[in-house]
Amino acid sequence: MLPSLRDAWSVSGAKQPAPGLRASKFEGGSDLVLASVNADGRRGLLVRANAEDRLQETVDAVTRESGALSAEIYPYFADGRSSRGIHIWCLHSELHDAFGSFCDSLIPRIIAGDNIHAAFVECLEDFRSLVVGADADGNASGLIGLVGELIVLKELSQLGAEACAMWAYPLRDRHDFRNGEAALEVKTSLRSNNGRPLITI
């Protein structure tokens, strides 16, 4: 009987540190997903790739969208043959529990046949929605603020396509846009001007 994902992580993590990746099967992972622990003791997943999977696109998305996760294209041997996959792992041990919950959402999508990139993006959006929430009180201020940020994003994108990666939305960071040491905060207000709405950015 195979261990659970968390038990597989615990067993691998209890072994003596060694170079490379320790990967093992776990219940619910099928042959597509392995529990992994790297040389630093960080927990992760090794997902076997299909020929059509865009692995570099997924690696770029993981490193761009999350400061707590990292990813790499990882060649390995399984069942006596050479394979390749994507290794996604949590950078901070204090977030291992949260990462486990993320994996609980990610793994069934991969087993169901979703490609790695789509499964990761969908799970990330689900977790962002959970943390950020929705503006359910009907107040237009959140929408007005979003419109302001989109207008600024459009102008920044005309200077360079990489502007999209600098936008913090939907995370509620200190600044709406950040590029290294440079940061930009967009303030948008809505008021009435002789009975007509006036938006100021």
Side-chain angles (χ1 to χ4, degrees), residues 15-22 37-40:
K15 295 178 180 178
Q16 287 287 350
L21 198 64
R22 295 187 296 275
V37 175
N38 67 13
D40 295 326

Side-chain angles (χ1 to χ4, degrees), residues 9 12-13 15-23 35-44 70 72 74 87-91 96:
W9 278 332
S12 293
K15 295 178 180 178
Q16 287 287 350
L21 198 64
R22 295 187 296 275
S36 67
V37 175
N38 67 13
D40 295 326
R42 302 291 185 248
R43 296 178 175 184
S70 193
E72 62 184 344
Y74 198 88
H87 175 221
I88 300 175
W89 72 96
C90 182
L91 293 170
H96 278 169

